[in-house]
Amino acid sequence: MKTDKTDILALLRNSGDYVSGQQLCDRFGVTRTAVWKVINQLKEEGYEIESVSGRGYRLAEEPGDILSESEIVSRLHTKWAGRKVYYHDETGSTNNDAKRCGEEGDPHGTVVVADIQNAGKGRRGRGWQTLSGTALAFTILLRPEFAPDRASMLTLVMALSVAEAVEEVLTDAEEAVTTIKWPNDIVLNKKKICGMLTEMTMTPEMDEIQYVVVGAGVNVNNAVPEEFQEEIRKTATSLKIETGRHISRAGLLEKVLLRFEDNYAVFLETLDMSRLREAYERHLQGIGGEVRVLDPAGEYTGISHGIDDKGELIVERENGEKVLVYAGEVSVRGLYGYV
Ligand code: BTN
């Protein structure tokens, strides 16, 4: 029944016109009653479906922000990213769920999505809370066949993909500026809208990657800054706060996965950032400006010169020395404020 619901939703969405009950029965090999039940379920979930006798059913208006397995799967036109989806109304952490998928043999490209994360994980051991109806919290499971030293770049590939997808959602009139704060925070109008957490698991022999999970939390429909945890309230924002619009999280995920699939293919050609570097640097915040590198071995300031082919940040120190900053160890801040 679940597959029928997704398929019927996809057909109604893609057709954009009336589809007769008989067409649906023939296409999916189900009875009229089964079709009628699915249509009712969809209506209960918030879809506005017109039924006109003699013409059939039409998806009248896209609902604001329904997040469900059917909504996600019925939108996807990707080749492999998200071809298997696990959706949870509530979970601990989608990264942990995706790691379990990694252990249990789920395929490359499996995506875990949740409405609420009650134990979401941020970088450096911090938490990442997601309240119902607000964030797009998802994790993609990857089974790369390349060497482990390449894996840290996946987070930059995802950062570029999210930035591009966010830009697709914004209208020109909104005049919002999307940038990447190296290595992978997405910043909208100088405030953070998305953070990422990449985790790699090696084979028991420790010589190959078993799987990598790349998780992203995008603040989409948080209505007011008070919805963020106190400590990030001044530096965080959401798409809704910046645009005034309610945005479909499933629609954003569809765009992210399409962009990720393309960018991942480009990354695989060279197994580094050389062919994505230009696009990444077009979004990179603060090239040519001063940055502070919060290296545990000692903080320093310098000028950012963008990234090298491995995705490391090139920072010119005051003595003229060029340092390559590796994403795993340090955090970089603009000299004034968050970016
Ligand atoms: C950061 O600290 O900036 C990283 C935040 C990463 C949050 C995302 S939400 C989806 C995925 N699941 C998690 O537990 N964390 C990541």
Side-chain angles (χ1 to χ4, degrees):
M1 215 48 211
K2 203 187 218 168
T3 318
D4 294 339
K5 188 163 88 176
T6 304
D7 292 343
I8 288 175
L9 186 56
L11 201 145
L12 291 176
R13 172 173 285 124
N14 294 335
S15 139
D17 198 357
Y18 286 94
V19 182
S20 76
Q22 194 55 51
Q23 270 174 292
L24 293 171
C25 295
D26 294 347
R27 173 76 192 267
F28 301 115
V30 292
T31 62
R32 283 267 186 170
T33 317
V35 167
W36 180 80
K37 273 191 187 155
V38 169
I39 296 288
N40 276 347
Q41 273 177 24
L42 289 170
K43 283 182 179 169
E44 270 165 32
E45 286 173 24
Y47 294 93
E48 210 180 298
I49 298 175
E50 286 172 9
S51 19
V52 173
S53 80
R55 299 189 75 185
Y57 304 102
R58 189 172 79 99
L59 190 58
E61 204 177 290
E62 287 291 331
D65 182 25
I66 291 178
L67 199 60
S68 66
E69 190 180 319
S70 299
E71 176 66 15
I72 294 164
V73 175
S74 67
R75 283 172 173 273
L76 285 181
H77 296 100
T78 48
K79 290 190 273 296
W80 55 267
R83 296 321 297 172
K84 183 160 188 186
V85 169
Y86 291 96
Y87 169 76
H88 304 289
D89 285 330
E90 180 163 0
T91 193
S93 151
T94 55
N95 266 33
N96 287 352
D97 294 337
K99 286 204 263 183
R100 219 166 295 125
C101 296
E103 295 299 327
E104 288 169 5
D106 276 310
H108 177 72
T110 297
V111 169
V112 182
V113 188
D115 182 29
I116 301 173
Q117 278 189 132
N118 55 39
K121 302 187 295 183
R123 293 181 74 195
R124 288 165 226 293
R126 288 189 286 254
W128 186 274
Q129 175 182 319
T130 47
L131 304 172
S132 179
T134 60
L136 169 62
F138 74 95
T139 303
I140 187 162
L141 167 71
L142 302 171
R143 296 191 180 279
E145 287 172 3
F146 47 73
D149 67 343
R150 308 276 127 178
S152 66
M153 286 178 263
L154 292 173
T155 207
L156 280 79
V157 177
M158 182 57 89
L160 174 61
S161 309
V162 173
E164 289 173 338
V166 165
E167 273 176 345
E168 280 178 35
V169 162
L170 297 167
T171 64
D172 288 348
E174 281 160 351
E175 290 182 3
V177 182
T178 315
T179 55
I180 300 172
K181 183 169 113 44
W182 184 88
N184 56 16
D185 282 356
I186 309 303
V187 173
L188 187 61
N189 297 340
K190 302 204 170 154
K191 288 188 170 181
K192 176 165 169 175
I193 52 156
C194 172
M196 275 164 217
L197 182 66
T198 297
E199 299 179 81
M200 174 166 73
T201 300
M202 302 289 286
T203 54
E205 298 75 30
M206 295 299 279
D207 55 352
E208 280 175 21
I209 298 175
Q210 190 179 340
Y211 56 83
V212 176
V213 300
V214 185
V218 192
N219 302 327
V220 179
N221 287 323
N222 312 66
V224 285
E226 287 65 35
E227 287 180 17
F228 297 114
Q229 287 159 279
E230 178 102 49
E231 57 274 26
I232 59 165
R233 214 164 274 169
K234 284 207 175 81
T235 52
T237 192
S238 72
L239 277 162
K240 165 117 190 182
I241 292 171
E242 297 304 312
T243 64
R245 283 189 294 132
H246 215 68
I247 283 158
S248 156
R249 286 172 291 168
L252 179 62
L253 178 65
E254 171 195 10
K255 291 181 169 43
V256 171
L257 294 179
L258 273 171
R259 292 309 309 131
F260 184 74
E261 213 172 66
D262 281 0
N263 289 329
Y264 190 79
V266 175
F267 171 77
L268 285 186
E269 287 167 14
T270 55
L271 292 180
D272 65 20
M273 289 297 289
S274 52
R275 295 199 178 149
L276 293 171
R277 188 172 163 180
E278 205 185 306
Y280 183 91
E281 286 190 337
R282 233 181 290 129
H283 294 90
L284 185 60
Q285 180 82 40
I287 296 193
E290 276 186 298
V291 288
R292 181 150 195 83
V293 181
L294 310 179
D295 190 327
E299 294 185 13
Y300 56 89
T301 52
I303 305 290
S304 161
H305 287 287
I307 58 166
D308 66 4
D309 286 349
K310 289 193 196 139
E312 296 161 322
L313 190 70
I314 307 164
V315 177
E316 185 179 345
R317 296 187 69 161
E318 276 150 8
N319 62 6
E321 181 198 358
K322 283 205 173 137
V323 191
L324 297 176
V325 184
Y326 176 70
E329 309 147 9
V330 296
S331 163
V332 173
R333 293 260 180 284
L335 280 196
Y336 310 104
Y338 168 68
V339 290

